[in-house]
């Protein structure tokens, strides 16, 4: 009679024998690990369940208006979320809060635009196409959550969110048809904007990314509605 150890059996039939490990929700290292592994599926979505892919992600209209300027983007598309990396996910059980921190090497927005007004000392106006590139974007979303019981077990439901974001690299603007096609003024405006992009953080950059993070938040809740906690927060130990 031949007796095989578990390891020998696994090697013999050429399969991976795995042990399922369920994370404690307050174990940040474990929760971060499973969320890193789940992120590609989150971005890919579940079209058969009504959860569309999240790269690219489209928004019909984005409007930003202050006392100094008015900016409208139409047919705006964000590219690059699929290349982001989950850095840390924290679940605070006592407070029923969550933090989701990820970084993106490159995010690109392409759209139609219309702009009128003043940015810092720059008077600007134009209507055409635009491309905005964010280099090395760090994004942290946080909020409250509740636990709900569905037919397949416990699920998380996110109640609200706040976004903290920072560009660690740079931002590059490209607008066609600034100043009704005046090339000299357009070159000067692009030089100013791309050298002083931080002056647009509160009026353009943050409002745009906050709109897309709202879509990301809704998408994340749909994902959590489909995937029970026991499945989401479990990983395989070789």
């Amino acid at each position: 009679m031949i007796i095989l150890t578990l390891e020998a059996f696994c090697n013999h039939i050429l399969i991976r024998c795995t042990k399922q490990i369920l994370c404690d929700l307050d174990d940040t290292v474990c929760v971060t690990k499973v969320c890193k592994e789940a992120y590609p599926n989150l971005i890919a979505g579940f079209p058969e369940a009504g959860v569309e892919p999240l790269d690219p992600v489209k928004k019909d209209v984005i409007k930003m208006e202050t006392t100094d300027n008015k900016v409208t983007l139409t047919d705006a598309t964000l590219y690059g979320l699929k290349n982001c990396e989950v850095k840390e996910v924290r679940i605070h059980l006592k407070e029923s809060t969550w933090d989701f921190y990820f970084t993106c090497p490159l995010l690109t927005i392409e759209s139609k635009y219309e702009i009128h007004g003043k940015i810092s000392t720059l008077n600007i106006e134009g209507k055409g196409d635009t491309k905005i590139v964010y280099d090395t974007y760090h994004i942290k979303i946080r909020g409250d959550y509740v636990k709900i019981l569905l037919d397949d077990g416990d699920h998380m439901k996110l109640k609200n969110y706040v976004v903290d974001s920072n560009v660690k690299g740079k931002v590059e603007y490209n607008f066609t048809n600034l100043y009704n096609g005046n090339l000299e003024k357009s070159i000067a405006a692009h030089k100013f904007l791309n050298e002083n992009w931080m002056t647009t953080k509160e009026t353009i950059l943050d409002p745009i990314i906050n709109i897309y993070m709202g879509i990301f938040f809704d998408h994340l809740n749909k994902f959590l509605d489909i995937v029970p906690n026991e499945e989401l927060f479990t990983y395989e130990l070789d």
Side-chain angles (χ1 to χ4, degrees):
M1 186 172 83
I2 299 175
I3 300 176
L4 295 177
T5 66
L6 178 61
E7 179 180 3
F9 175 75
C10 291
N11 292 334
H12 177 68
I13 64 173
L14 300 177
I15 65 170
R16 293 175 61 212
C17 290
T18 59
K19 180 180 179 181
Q20 300 290 318
I21 303 296
L22 179 63
C23 297
D24 292 327
L25 293 184
D26 57 356
D27 183 344
T28 299
V29 173
C30 188
V31 168
T32 300
K33 173 182 173 62
V34 297
C35 288
K36 279 178 178 283
E37 294 174 355
Y39 184 81
N41 292 328
L42 170 68
I43 299 301
F46 296 91
E48 66 279 5
V51 183
E52 297 301 319
L54 205 55
D55 194 348
V57 56
K58 299 181 180 180
K59 183 69 176 175
D60 290 338
V61 180
I62 300 175
K63 293 185 177 182
M64 296 155 284
E65 187 170 357
T66 69
T67 55
D68 293 326
N69 62 65
K70 182 178 181 180
V71 183
T72 302
L73 304 183
T74 54
D75 298 325
T77 304
L78 173 68
Y79 301 90
L81 285 176
K82 66 183 178 183
N83 298 319
C84 301
E85 180 183 0
V86 175
K87 290 296 187 180
E88 185 177 78
V89 180
R90 289 181 178 269
I91 299 174
H92 308 278
L93 295 176
K94 290 183 180 180
E95 297 85 0
S96 295
T97 60
W98 57 279
D99 302 311
F100 190 97
Y101 172 47
F102 61 111
T103 61
C104 306
L106 201 69
L107 294 178
T108 302
I109 295 170
E110 295 181 357
S111 76
K112 303 290 185 182
Y113 84 94
E114 186 169 358
I115 185 169
H116 298 281
K118 190 173 184 178
I119 297 176
S120 185
T121 60
L122 176 70
N123 291 310
I124 188 168
E125 62 176 304
K127 183 177 182 180
D129 298 319
T130 186
K131 181 177 181 180
I132 306 171
V133 179
Y134 301 79
D135 174 25
T136 315
Y137 213 141
H138 290 216
I139 303 171
K140 184 175 182 179
I141 314 175
R142 55 187 170 83
D144 304 311
Y145 77 90
V146 293
K147 186 169 69 173
I148 59 175
L149 180 62
L150 300 179
D151 291 341
D152 58 351
D154 288 335
H155 290 248
M156 288 187 67
K157 183 175 181 62
L158 310 181
K159 296 171 61 178
N160 49 47
Y161 71 97
V162 175
V163 180
D164 295 317
S165 60
N166 285 288
V167 179
K168 297 297 184 179
K170 62 179 182 179
V171 174
E172 183 176 323
Y173 288 103
N174 192 325
F175 296 101
T176 67
N177 200 43
L178 279 178
Y179 308 104
N180 199 30
N182 185 311
L183 184 59
E184 183 179 353
K185 294 179 71 173
S186 177
I187 291 173
H190 279 96
K191 177 177 172 59
F192 177 87
L193 289 172
N194 292 328
E195 290 180 354
N196 300 278
W197 59 265
M198 278 296 296
T199 62
T200 69
K201 178 173 169 48
E202 294 184 0
T203 57
I204 298 179
L205 299 180
D206 286 351
I208 291 176
I209 210 66
N210 288 347
I211 291 290
Y212 283 110
M213 287 304 100
I215 298 173
F216 183 92
F217 173 82
D218 291 340
H219 187 95
L220 182 54
N221 254 337
K222 291 178 182 178
F223 181 83
L224 293 173
D225 193 50
I226 293 172
V227 184
N229 290 354
E230 187 171 348
E231 180 179 338
L232 176 61
F233 296 112
T234 297
Y235 70 94
E236 293 182 347
L237 183 66
D238 292 337

